[in-house]
Amino acid sequence: MTPALRLLLAVLGTIYALKAAALIIRRGPGSATGLTLFLFAWPGVIPDCFRDRQTAQTIEPVRFLAAWARMALGAGSIVLLAVYAPHIPDQLLGLAGIAALLLTVHLGIGDLLPWLLRWAGFAVPLLFDRPWAATSLAEFWSRRWNLAFVDMNRGLFLRPLYRAFGKRGSRLALFALSGVLHELALSWPAGAGWGLPLGYFLLHGMLVAVEERFRIANRAWTWFWLIAPSPWLFHEPFRRTLIVPFYYWLNGLIAQHSWDWYLSLAIYAVALGQLIVPIASFQVPARLGWKQDIAKLTRFNQKIFWVYGFYILLSIVSFAVLTWRLHDEFLAGELAARWIAGFIAIFWSVRVLVDIFWYDHRDWPPGNALLAGHALVTSLFCTLAAVYWFAAFTPAR
């Protein structure tokens, strides 16, 4: 059995064994939709939130968009590390690779998922609640990080452990349980490094007792003890056996095609992608209530507004047509094409900067669909800007 298969088996086997135990002990979801989402979309093991479907909850804009940005940044970091993997020392690649995966999965997707499930009508808790704000290890592990695991401990293990060992003993036992589960997920797939993840969590269990005894509440203290012994948790055998090979495998996939092949595909993609903007724009007047708001302007200002809107729309469609028609010139790095690409790159870059620094989230109309659309459209603008900047700096052939 390969290390990757052992990792998959360890993670999924543990999660579904705990889900099965929770379904036996506690009442399960009351609908097929709730059961399906609990089994296949939710990483937690306590089914309580999926029993009853409620009215869709409003997504919090700032946190949702920040999580979306972290996911995109993490995914971009994974791709960059994969592209340059042969030129990065394995030690650095392993550590940076884990950081990129944590940013993408835990702080990106893990922060988006609860909001999406709340939108669907299931009042699930957050998985991660701004862990960077923790001022103690106790706060980090109990109220900030992997709250589905915290929920599992409270629902399945805390009461019997408390009866057996008391407050401090049960807390240390829960840290030990976390260490054992990480041994299964990290040391078993790597076939080495046994005891290091357990040692990491036992150390943290003792440090939490020290915090309680001396009333320590300090962010520097917290992050020192999270990061300094982290090579025990994500130990060298795990990085060497799974993380580094993953990035080399991804590098091999990317290297199957030349840079020109990717740029050619990207040029066609952004030409078509810009046509999505007018399609989305046709929905804007109705969704944003332009009929009522524009009617408050003078007749001349109404005309100016529509002229500006028409010229922006015409510019975007022209960008799409020019890009498609001049594909070969963009790819060849011809001077005129590079200047055109540079101008379009500035156009979309300024649009992204306006979105970040000028628009206020409080000004946006409420609604989960509009918020999700905002995230998707802004991602499209960032992609357009990035591709055109690459095209603008493509050397002439």
Side-chain angles (χ1 to χ4, degrees), residues 1 3-16 184 188-189:
M1 188 182 298
L5 189 57
R6 286 202 299 268
L7 174 64
L8 190 64
L9 181 62
V11 173
L12 294 182
T14 301
I15 289 176
Y16 279 102
L184 183 62
W188 182 58

Side-chain angles (χ1 to χ4, degrees), residues 206-331:
M206 292 184 286
L207 288 171
V208 167
V210 171
E211 288 180 346
E212 185 179 57
R213 171 68 177 80
F214 296 100
R215 297 182 180 180
I216 299 173
N218 183 278
R219 194 168 295 179
W221 155 278
T222 303
W223 284 99
F224 174 81
W225 287 112
L226 286 170
I227 295 174
S230 62
W232 291 7
L233 179 60
F234 300 109
H235 46 64
E236 193 276 336
F238 175 75
R239 301 194 305 269
R240 170 172 38 85
T241 307
L242 285 143
I243 301 301
V244 172
F246 165 74
Y247 282 96
Y248 274 94
W249 169 79
L250 195 55
N251 174 270
L253 287 182
I254 295 172
Q256 289 180 1
H257 301 286
S258 67
W259 166 255
D260 282 354
W261 185 88
Y262 287 108
L263 183 57
S264 174
L265 188 65
I267 291 169
Y268 281 130
V270 295
L272 295 174
Q274 283 170 120
L275 296 179
I276 296 175
V277 179
I279 295 173
S281 298
F282 291 142
Q283 304 178 42
V284 169
R287 288 186 175 272
L288 299 188
W290 281 11
K291 184 176 181 180
Q292 295 78 20
D293 289 347
I294 295 176
K296 300 174 184 178
L297 300 175
T298 65
R299 185 181 179 191
F300 184 64
N301 283 336
Q302 289 181 29
K303 291 181 178 180
I304 291 176
F305 181 88
W306 288 112
V307 168
Y308 286 168
F310 172 77
Y311 269 90
I312 292 172
L313 189 64
L314 178 62
S315 297
I316 294 172
V317 173
S318 300
F319 293 162
V321 173
L322 282 170
T323 302
W324 188 277
R325 178 63 183 84
L326 300 177
H327 168 274
D328 294 345
E329 289 77 2
F330 278 113
L331 190 60

Side-chain angles (χ1 to χ4, degrees), residues 9 16 58 92 100 112 130 143 166 179 183 197 202 204 213 218 220 227 249 256 271 280 295 300 350 359 391 394-395:
L9 181 62
Y16 279 102
T58 301
L92 178 59
L112 290 172
R130 297 174 297 166
R143 299 197 298 274
E183 292 283 359
L202 289 177
H204 277 227
R213 171 68 177 80
N218 183 278
I227 295 174
W249 169 79
Q256 289 180 1
F300 184 64
V350 170
Y359 292 156
T394 297

Side-chain angles (χ1 to χ4, degrees), residues 38-66:
F38 170 68
L39 290 176
F40 301 109
W42 183 242
V45 302
I46 303 300
D48 298 6
C49 298
F50 294 90
R51 287 176 185 163
D52 301 306
R53 193 167 187 175
Q54 305 172 6
T55 304
Q57 297 184 26
T58 301
I59 294 174
E60 188 175 331
V62 175
R63 297 187 69 166
F64 183 85
L65 294 174

